[in-house]
């Protein structure tokens, strides 16, 4: 059995792949445009993602992969759409593979063959139209878009650069954590506005009474304590929702684990 070749000079080309210089020539591993730049474009009938290995621009091997979505992806998309969000895919994979995945998820808007800069530019285009962009990504190539979006979320399993660029990191594999984060933030916003309204309403009523000298110190102290209790109690409603949602996510993790065990068996 021959010894495996050792590549001393290996460099990463962002958004394309890796390149190694050897005595035989330049090896490249990545997308087809990068590895075989002089090759004529191929038919996009194949919906599998691919990684090409080339030597001096000539294909040596091609590795094909079927995309597998994270658990809870479809449910998360439906939940976000029910919140009024419009979802789309931006990916560096071949357009045919991205189109097939978008069809599987029921998404009409998708973009394939995007470099990292293209993803970030797409976020900027949506922002220029007055949109608030939420970006979810886990790859190195997603980092520029995660940084460019108004809010960005990455899983704990994402590349280090992706986690650093994201505003929020979730630890579960289930993508429903994204919908949970959005829902909890919306509820928190509503509670904050409600508490402001309660505080303002209290002051509108209480201040004129106090100025008129109709409230004794004891009544004023009781009224002030009561208003604080009402505001705090209203805020604590968020904690109850969080516990309920967390139980659902844990139950989902158990179901996924049982399903995975059944498949292995």
């Amino acid at each position: 059995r021959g010894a495996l070749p050792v590549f001393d000079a290996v460099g990463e080309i962002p958004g394309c792949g890796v390149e190694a210089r050897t005595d035989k020539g330049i090896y490249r591993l990545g997308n087809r445009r990068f590895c075989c730049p002089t090759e004529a474009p191929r038919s996009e009938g194949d919906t599998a993602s691919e990684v090409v290995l080339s030597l001096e621009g000539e294909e040596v091997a091609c590795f094909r992969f079927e995309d597998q979505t994270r658990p809870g992806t479809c449910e998360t998309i439906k939940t976000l759409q029910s919140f009024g969000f419009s979802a789309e895919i931006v990916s560096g994979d071949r357009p045919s593979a991205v189109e097939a995945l978008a069809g599987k998820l029921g998404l009409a808007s998708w973009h394939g063959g995007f470099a990292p800069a293209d993803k970030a530019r797409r976020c900027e285009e949506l922002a220029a139209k007055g949109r608030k962009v939420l970006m979810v990504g886990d790859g190195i190539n997603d980092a520029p878009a995660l940084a460019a979006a108004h809010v960005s979320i990455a899983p704990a399993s994402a590349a280090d650069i992706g986690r650093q660029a994201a505003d929020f990191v979730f630890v579960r594999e289930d993508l429903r954590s994204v919908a949970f984060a959005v829902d909890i933030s919306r509820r928190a916003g509503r509670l904050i506005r409600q508490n402001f309204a309660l505080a303002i309403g209290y002051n509108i009523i209480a201040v004129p009474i106090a100025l008129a000298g109709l409230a004794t110190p004891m009544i004023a102290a009781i009224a002030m304590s009561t208003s604080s209790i009402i505001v705090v109690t209203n805020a604590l409603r968020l904690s109850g929702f969080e516990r309920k949602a967390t139980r659902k996510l844990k139950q989902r993790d158990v179901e996924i684990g049982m399903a995975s065990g059944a498949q292995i068996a």
Side-chain angles (χ1 to χ4, degrees), residues 22 33 191:
T22 67
R33 292 192 309 274
L191 289 177

Side-chain angles (χ1 to χ4, degrees), residues 12-16 92 114-117 119-120 135 138-145 161:
E12 180 184 349
I13 312 299
C16 297
F114 267 26
K119 296 180 182 181
M135 174 69 185
D138 62 356
I140 295 175
N141 295 337
D142 295 325
I161 189 173

Side-chain angles (χ1 to χ4, degrees), residues 44-80:
E44 291 291 340
D46 192 350
T47 60
S49 300
E50 67 174 8
V51 175
V52 176
L53 174 65
S54 70
L55 174 60
E56 289 296 316
E58 296 294 329
E59 181 180 330
V60 175
C62 180
F63 309 94
R64 299 186 183 278
F65 306 90
E66 290 292 338
D67 288 317
Q68 183 176 3
T69 59
R70 287 178 177 269
T73 299
C74 291
E75 185 176 349
T76 298
I77 291 173
K78 291 179 180 178
T79 302
L80 292 178

